[in-house]
Amino acid sequence: MRLSRYFLPVLKETPSDAQIVSHRLMLRAGMIRQQAAGIYSWLPLGYRVLRNIERIVHEEQQRAGHIPVLMPTVQPADLWQESGRYNAYGPEMLRIRDRHDRDMLYGPTNEEMITDIFRTHVSSYRDLPLTLYHIQWKFRDEVRPRFGVMRGREFLMKDGYTFDVSKEAALHAYNRHLVSYLRTYERMGLQAIPMRADSGPIGGDNTHEFLVLADTGESEVFYDSEITDLRFGDRDIDYDDPAQCRAVLEEFTSRYARTDETHDPEAFARIPTERQRTARGIEVGQIFYFGTKYSEPMGAMVQTADGIQVPVHMGSHGIGVSRLAGALIEANHDDRGIVWPEEVAPFPCGIVNLRQGDGNCDSVCEAIHGQLSARGLEPLYDDTDERAGAKFASMDLIGLPWRITVGPRGLKSGTVEVTSRRTGDSEEMSPEAAVARIADIYGRG
Ligand code: ATP
Ligand code: MG
């Protein structure tokens, strides 16, 4: 992509209304534009990041055996009247009336709709287990939308729903989700810690929230510092094996880690003092087994192997896809801008031409651009007439993991410079070696 033909409206000034660093950087880097409180357009750079996050979520969901669907954003109110949540949901629900005076709403979540789909088409244990998920926009009329996409009113969520014939089977689905979430966040270069959460009026302790530690997080969290040493890594887990999934869950949830809602000061005090940590965290996901809360009132029944009709056991499992764009920046930035992890970066690398219009510089940049693109690694090539300092500042701000700098002085000895955004380390090498280096980093060598 040539910057001269791209749409990257970076801001020189720091927006005064943005309180946290990720919001400021998303605005300055031209990733988003606020259209109303808590409602954003995703500009090209932001949209590329959002798509990368979505892609990873899709891949990891499907690796775990979950099936993608797409439900609408606008829902009829009568489904919510059946479950009893139409009145219970309160002012967070955006209610709409259509031209025929029918009550509709912009979905804040999809338990009712998925239960309706299920009861229409499934009636036997033979069709279970089943997990359906989608990635779709939600609307919640939050009292205080703030922090940019972190607490929006319209936001993108992955929500998945599990259907099982028994509680035992449903708990395997729960554990499987926990494992797949660990893997999803780690792939994005994020550490998200599962913490015991509050199940609210439904009760039970089968719910965990995943939190990214950050000073700007909205939740207060308490944990045993040993938990931050755990890594899922590249383990090969059989998602269909309940024992394997349970072992991972036990490993990652046996140490104390709770949000303020479930915090137990006495249990916390029993951790050795030097390991007690109090911090703030950003909730990037939640898993929840709630049994028959929706299947019972909505009549989603299945026949068991013994021929008995039982309400299906359900769980719902969410990932904050658009919030993750902000959370990733909170966890990956420095005073010059964003530092994208490679898996989610909007472009794998940038090319800076230090003397646009110089025949030699231009043709080397074009060659690098073409060769990387041919390998499926389309770089962002700054082919504008800006000064070198301004080009470097923009590249640092938008945070591409690697930069290839091409200038007349280096080319005299046949070299260009490859620089890591994260460490700032630079290395000189031939243009061919630079292409090979980037391709190698991204596994396209
Ligand atoms: P919160 O406690 O932050 O309001 P929640 O517990 O109500 O979130 P869930 O229903 O669990 O949210 O939704 C699943 C995920 O969607 C959350 O873990 C979070 O990452 C994301 N999410 C929820 N509300 C918002 C929002 N207003 N803006 C952006 N992302 C959100
Ligand atoms: Mg939640």
Side-chain angles (χ1 to χ4, degrees), residues 5 46 58 91 100 172 191 196 239 242 262 321 348 364 445:
R5 309 223 190 124
H58 270 302
H100 303 293
H172 170 225
Q191 180 169 42
R196 191 190 290 185
Y239 280 110
T262 54
V321 173
V364 169

Side-chain angles (χ1 to χ4, degrees), residues 89 92 108-109 140 142 148-158 185 209-210 218-219 261 283-286 317-324:
Y89 218 92
E92 274 201 9
T109 178
R140 295 183 186 171
E142 303 270 357
V149 299
M150 296 265 251
R151 182 163 298 283
R153 292 197 294 166
E154 190 186 43
F155 60 95
L156 192 59
M157 191 203 283
K158 185 289 290 191
Y185 299 121
E209 288 178 352
F210 287 76
E218 290 188 288
S219 316
E261 289 169 343
E283 182 193 328
V284 292
Q286 180 164 18
H317 309 276
I319 292 182
V321 173
S322 51
R323 178 178 287 181
L324 272 166

Side-chain angles (χ1 to χ4, degrees), residues 149-289:
V149 299
M150 296 265 251
R151 182 163 298 283
R153 292 197 294 166
E154 190 186 43
F155 60 95
L156 192 59
M157 191 203 283
K158 185 289 290 191
D159 41 325
Y161 303 89
T162 59
F163 300 92
D164 288 278
V165 72
S166 65
K167 177 170 183 181
E168 190 195 0
L171 289 179
H172 170 225
Y174 181 89
N175 300 348
R176 191 180 65 232
H177 273 83
L178 184 130
V179 178
S180 76
Y181 279 27
L182 290 171
R183 188 172 191 139
T184 302
Y185 299 121
E186 263 193 38
R187 249 187 86 179
M188 293 176 195
L190 265 188
Q191 180 169 42
I193 303 171
M195 301 200 180
R196 191 190 290 185
D198 185 14
S199 52
I202 304 170
D205 54 7
N206 293 308
T207 178
H208 284 88
E209 288 178 352
F210 287 76
L211 286 111
V212 173
L213 299 175
D215 294 339
T216 49
E218 290 188 288
S219 316
E220 186 171 28
V221 299
F222 303 84
Y223 62 95
D224 177 340
S225 64
E226 281 192 342
I227 207 158
T228 55
D229 298 333
L230 297 175
R231 295 287 178 279
F232 184 78
D234 54 4
R235 315 174 191 202
D236 191 15
I237 294 283
D238 176 358
Y239 280 110
D240 289 332
D241 181 350
Q244 287 190 34
C245 292
R246 198 179 327 113
V248 174
L249 173 119
E250 280 164 6
E251 177 186 348
F252 280 82
T253 61
S254 61
R255 291 174 187 77
Y256 191 95
R258 297 192 189 189
T259 63
D260 49 1
E261 289 169 343
T262 54
H263 181 49
D264 173 356
E266 274 177 36
F268 189 59
R270 287 196 289 275
I271 305 168
T273 324
E274 70 279 7
R275 285 182 6 216
Q276 293 174 12
R277 295 282 187 284
T278 305
R280 303 204 64 85
I282 303 166
E283 182 193 328
V284 292
Q286 180 164 18
I287 53 177
F288 203 152
Y289 162 70

